Amino acid sequence: MSLNQDVGSRGRGRGWQQPDNPPKELRRPKAVPDETKVEAPKSTLSAEAKEWYPPNYVPQAPASYTPDDSQYRVQKFSVQNRLRQAQDQNPYNLNEMSQYLDEAENMDLREHIGYLITVMCEITFDPGKFDILCGSIVDMFASTLHNASYTRALVEAIVNQSIAESNFRYNGARLCSMYDSVATPEESTFRACLLERCSTEENKIISGVETSEENMRGFAMFLAEIYTQLEDSQGGRIKTLGESLCKVLLHLLDTDKETNIKAVCQLLKLSGIALDADCPGGINAAFERLKRRAQLPSVRGVLALRATRWGLAENDPTPPLEDPRRRQNGLMTPEGGYLADGYTLTPEECAFMQNNLPNNKTAALEEDILEELDGDGWGTGMDAEMREGFLEFLKHSNQIKR
């Protein structure tokens, strides 16, 4: 059988079908009669039903809260969370601001205060942005600083942020200094509102209305910052701020708590030198109380700092020890002078220095050296006039030595 016949007997074309095995028909799904379907149970609960109480439940009257006139401050968690909350909240919901902002005609001020709070939160998170962002908020309020109502809202926002945020206090004092410099100290409405706000906060602390020690410490540190940065008309410090600072400082020491004592020591490192000059009575009373807690390292550090006039006193130089080798018959011999260490020269040292120190007199140039240099051995190609001028230069500059 040939190869073609073998292949042809078993080959099948495309149209090949196998009629003996027809394809099976797919089975159709059985239809479920309607009467066999299960209906979903219907709920008998109602939204208008009365509230159910257990049999032994005793109804209680709802708690009533009296409005607190004191300033409300949000609880602190972290800088990132507080910044996120400040950015997410409605900037026009300024409940902690003055009621003056609630009037309809003050919408511009509400917008400005909202933007100010946003910028202050940004500076709190990144203090290095102060120089970039402060210009816009200073220009925004510059035209309204003569208005006491507008300025009080501005001062309120800055002081509250400075008390609550330790990372903003220094820049908060800088911001106050910039607003204060817009007008002269005698005509500065901002300064008057700031001093009024500080006096109010001081009275709240002294009278016991302010019970949060964290807010007390925050206000004391901010007060120290503006006390050291603001100046009066003569270029000096505002002594009323120093007196208020001493009162708050003494109030913190009266609590006799280690946290407050450490805060006072930190405060004194910042403004102690100024308080010593402006309010000696108040700071002396503070140091008398600090001496009772001298076992604390922070207290010992600030006591030692004040003992050295806040780091300005120069240490007394200790006299050099006497060298027994420099004595002759029990007496010093200062005829030869003194060295840099304060010791006197011995006769041997004087003789050595006289023999080896260079003579101040200019050594005269010898004629044989000049004749040697004036010869043809130079090989420089200078003519007689040029050589004469160069030799004269060497004589005056004393560059020819044996």
Side-chain angles (χ1 to χ4, degrees), residues 323-338:
D323 190 351
R325 297 174 300 173
R326 300 178 183 272
R327 284 183 172 273
Q328 290 184 351
N329 299 326
L331 298 176
M332 300 297 292
T333 57
E335 291 81 2
Y338 296 89

Side-chain angles (χ1 to χ4, degrees), residues 58-272:
V58 179
Q60 298 179 358
S64 60
Y65 300 94
T66 57
D68 188 7
D69 296 334
S70 62
Q71 186 68 36
Y72 173 74
R73 298 186 179 94
V74 182
Q75 184 179 2
K76 296 172 58 177
F77 294 97
S78 66
V79 175
Q80 291 82 357
N81 290 338
R82 293 195 299 275
L83 178 61
R84 190 178 300 108
Q85 292 174 4
Q87 293 175 344
D88 294 341
Q89 69 182 0
N90 184 0
Y92 307 115
N93 186 16
L94 308 175
N95 295 327
E96 68 274 11
M97 293 288 103
S98 173
Q99 297 296 327
Y100 180 77
L101 298 180
D102 294 335
E103 300 178 6
E105 60 269 17
N106 295 321
M107 289 302 298
D108 290 342
L109 179 59
R110 291 171 61 86
E111 293 179 2
H112 292 170
I113 294 295
Y115 178 72
L116 172 67
I117 293 175
T118 303
V119 171
M120 289 191 300
C121 290
E122 186 70 20
I123 295 175
T124 302
F125 183 72
D126 188 357
K129 293 183 178 180
F130 177 83
D131 294 331
I132 301 174
L133 300 176
C134 67
S136 60
I137 55 179
V138 171
D139 295 339
M140 182 179 294
F141 290 91
S143 60
T144 59
L145 288 178
H146 63 280
N147 190 320
S149 300
Y150 276 58
T151 307
R152 286 193 184 95
L154 171 64
V155 170
E156 189 79 10
I158 297 175
V159 172
N160 288 342
Q161 182 74 6
S162 300
I163 292 175
E165 298 292 347
S166 60
N167 212 34
F168 181 76
R169 286 169 195 152
Y170 172 71
N171 284 327
R174 292 177 64 191
L175 189 59
C176 290
S177 179
M178 296 178 70
Y179 281 122
D180 182 66
S181 63
V182 173
T184 59
E186 295 81 4
E187 301 176 354
S188 177
T189 305
F190 181 87
R191 172 171 294 194
C193 294
L194 179 62
L195 295 179
E196 178 185 357
R197 177 65 175 84
C198 291
S199 178
T200 302
E201 192 72 22
E202 174 202 341
N203 293 332
K204 289 169 58 178
I205 293 175
I206 301 302
S207 61
V209 175
E210 179 62 81
T211 58
S212 173
E213 294 183 357
E214 185 177 3
N215 292 338
M216 296 180 194
R217 295 190 296 267
F219 173 70
M221 293 303 299
F222 174 66
L223 192 60
E225 291 286 359
I226 60 176
Y227 169 60
T228 55
Q229 294 194 35
L230 294 185
E231 297 180 350
D232 57 13
S233 57
Q234 284 77 29
R237 291 176 294 270
I238 304 176
K239 293 187 178 181
T240 55
L241 291 178
E243 295 171 356
S244 299
L245 181 58
C246 286
K247 294 178 183 178
V248 177
L249 185 149
L250 292 173
H251 184 80
L252 288 174
L253 291 177
D254 288 339
T255 61
D256 201 27
K257 294 184 178 180
E258 185 174 349
T259 305
N260 294 337
I261 294 175
K262 290 181 179 179
V264 169
C265 294
Q266 182 182 1
L267 185 151
L268 289 174
K269 291 179 181 179
L270 170 64
S271 58

